[in-house]
Amino acid sequence: MKRLIALFFAAFLASGLQAQAEEKLRVLLDWFANPDHAPLAVAQSRGFFEAHGLEVELLEPADPAMPPKLVAAGQGDIAISYQPVLHAQIDEGMPLARIGTLIATPLNTLIVLEEGPIDTLEDLKGKRVGYSVSGFEDAMLGAMLQQAGLAVEDVELINVNFSLSPSLLAGQVDAIIGGYRNFELNQLEIKGSKGLAFYPEENGVPPYDELIMVAHKDKTGDPRLAKFMAALEEATIYLINHPQDSWEAFLELYPNLDDELNRRAWADTLPRFAKRPAALDAGRYERFAAFMKEAGLIDQTPPVETYTSVVY
């Protein structure tokens, strides 16, 4: 019944639009498809994109670092990216602009095992911290340690590549930085261990948007982008109202993701999606840019309006 309601709603929207050939739009994901991309999948599977005259192609990257670079080079229309990455790429001179938010809260965490010896951030002194990517994660860890009266030099950093949870479970490290609260915490529990998370936004790091959408800064006036954002908002509202049917819609596109980890991640990610994806909190971007400059990750903090665009 809910699926019929969604199809009827999409058809109703389409009836208000002039009949026209669907306009193609290429969206480059930041990673392989997962529950973080739920609104996109719902918009695709339940016809919200189609209702706005769009034929959207969701593309998984061979290299997760490439989507914004490809969009900057004109080889894609929209890239799913991260607010910290956007600040760094703007500092490098890339012609990009944020056009919307997909996940409006940080997902990044510092995680330890609940049954381990670390109960507070102060307990990290002299301990081993595993990480995957240096740069922002270093700055985030530094800010969190500073809140506890420590410095990065007080811990031993170990590059575990992308083996975050396994390295923690194996005792190779005492903590991991960069694990996602909707995935790594669930992964640990499925493996029989419970994780304890320290949230950066509660420990010295300004809140930021985890997943955002960027386009070429010279193409933000493209009418396809406004249609895309409208469809995405409608799909997100539908997702919040009808989580079970939306899960089924997600699995229609990605049936290989029907497992315990993704089911748990789906439930944990649901409240974090931006209900107004086109809305912009300029102050949040200003504060986070200042944080990155202070951490030495960027040299300049240009006006927010030079690298964001509100698309309606």
Side-chain angles (χ1 to χ4, degrees), residues 7-75:
L7 291 172
F8 175 80
F9 182 52
F12 175 77
L13 289 172
S15 67
L17 300 173
Q18 291 184 341
Q20 58 182 358
E22 290 182 350
E23 299 175 285
K24 293 185 178 180
L25 201 65
R26 293 168 297 167
V27 178
L28 312 181
L29 302 182
D30 58 300
W31 193 248
F32 55 82
N34 62 75
D36 290 350
H37 307 124
L40 297 166
V42 170
Q44 183 82 298
S45 186
R46 290 296 178 259
F48 291 98
F49 287 143
E50 184 180 3
H52 284 271
L54 296 175
E55 179 185 337
V56 175
E57 188 176 8
L58 303 176
L59 300 170
E60 297 178 340
D63 179 354
M66 288 305 295
K69 298 175 184 178
L70 291 171
V71 166
Q75 297 178 38

Side-chain angles (χ1 to χ4, degrees), residues 1-12 48 238 242 245:
M1 176 62 71
K2 290 178 180 176
R3 183 178 179 183
L4 290 175
I5 293 172
L7 291 172
F8 175 80
F9 182 52
F12 175 77
F48 291 98
Y238 183 84
H242 307 286
D245 182 70

